[in-house]
Amino acid sequence: MNTKTVSGLVLVAGCLLFASARAGPGGWDPGDPDRAVIPPRAETRGGSSEEWSAAWWQWALTIPDGPAHPLYDQTGEHCGVGQHGGVWFLAGTSADEDPDTPTLEVTRACTLPTGKAIFFPIVNIACSTLEAPPFGPLPGEVWGDAELSACAARFIDGPVALVRGLRVSLDDRSLKQLDACRARSPLFRFTLPSPNILGVAVPEAQETVEGQAVSDGYYVMLPPLSAGEHRLEVRGKFVDPDTHELVFGLDVAYDLRVVPPE
């Protein structure tokens, strides 16, 4: 299967993980056992996980393709690209980076300011009006919300692929109830630069091209972390629906350094 996974383009992110009220103004203390996973439709920072999943894709798709893209970043030095507002996006990896490698492993060091919620995919996929099959329509077809949603779901539930092996840990504490972290985005618009991570050609007379998409997958929203060092680990995989053999897996670790803003 040719997947465009980014962790996850099957981009590897959402549940909302809230801290206990005992967490102080400096951020969430992951040692606090009083935690709960809130279903994706619960709102935080002005949107649900479904809405934030669309925003995550818009962020990832707007950044030009290349080694400085957060999806292909090997060290984490580019984790601040395109960040703004109260939510900080983290990227997974893309199967397009090395299609001969069944599992992609990367460790990144990322510095971010205190007060930022953190949103990321575990595994995810998007289908769009600008792509060819299996991620988009045949020539002459017109796809809307229903067709794009069905396309994306085929990579999560089958028959194209199945998602398995979801795991997220923060400071060696595993997040639970990850099966509840699935988020299907609403139909959203996006703008692609040239070059772009979808590999879509942009006409020479244009600097960008616009399309519509729907995403599906598993995402996590973390509340702002306390100042200091944190370790975030994210794992997931796509398996063949018939044989359950590994098609693509990802193993992404972030060494997060949370610092007060200057």
Side-chain angles (χ1 to χ4, degrees):
M1 180 186 72
N2 177 24
T3 61
K4 57 167 183 181
T5 53
V6 260
S7 155
L9 296 163
V10 169
L11 301 173
V12 189
C15 280
L16 312 178
L17 181 66
F18 285 103
S20 161
R22 294 195 298 274
W28 179 52
D29 176 4
D32 183 349
D34 186 10
R35 301 178 295 165
V37 173
I38 308 301
R41 287 184 177 82
E43 290 197 3
T44 188
R45 299 278 167 151
S48 66
S49 282
E50 293 169 331
E51 293 166 326
W52 280 115
S53 69
W56 185 94
W57 276 97
Q58 290 168 327
W59 165 75
L61 293 172
T62 301
I63 302 170
D65 191 18
H69 195 292
L71 286 172
Y72 305 111
D73 184 4
Q74 295 299 301
T75 65
E77 65 175 310
H78 304 296
C79 76
V81 173
Q83 305 287 358
H84 61 86
V87 175
W88 190 279
F89 294 130
L90 295 179
T93 57
S94 173
D96 292 340
E97 183 179 0
D98 187 352
D100 295 325
T101 302
T103 300
L104 296 179
E105 299 182 13
V106 64
T107 298
R108 299 174 178 138
C110 179
T111 299
L112 67 155
T114 54
K116 299 282 187 179
I118 300 172
F119 187 80
F120 59 92
I122 311 173
V123 290
N124 59 349
I125 186 74
C127 289
S128 79
T129 56
L130 297 183
E131 296 175 272
F135 305 113
L138 291 166
E141 290 184 335
V142 178
W143 279 17
D145 191 350
E147 293 82 6
L148 292 167
S149 296
C151 170
R154 289 197 294 268
F155 291 87
I156 306 297
D157 300 318
V160 180
L162 293 174
V163 170
R164 293 290 186 269
L166 301 178
R167 181 183 176 189
V168 177
S169 66
L170 180 64
D171 296 340
D172 295 323
R173 294 177 66 90
S174 296
L175 278 63
K176 306 300 183 183
Q177 304 176 42
L178 294 180
D179 288 344
C181 295
R182 185 169 178 177
R184 301 174 180 87
S185 80
L187 181 70
F188 63 90
R189 295 184 178 274
F190 63 91
T191 300
L192 289 180
S194 181
N196 55 78
I197 60 175
L198 296 185
V200 172
V202 177
E204 292 185 4
Q206 301 176 210
E207 294 184 356
T208 61
V209 64
E210 294 186 356
Q212 293 182 309
V214 171
S215 69
D216 200 340
Y218 294 83
Y219 298 80
V220 170
M221 177 79 82
L222 295 175
L225 301 180
S226 57
E229 308 289 334
H230 300 275
R231 175 82 171 188
L232 176 67
E233 298 181 352
V234 181
R235 298 186 180 93
K237 60 185 178 181
F238 289 84
V239 302
D240 184 284
D242 297 320
T243 66
H244 284 235
E245 293 182 352
L246 177 68
V247 174
F248 171 73
L250 61 92
D251 188 336
V252 180
Y254 274 94
D255 291 318
L256 301 174
R257 181 171 176 260
V258 182
V259 299
E262 297 180 358

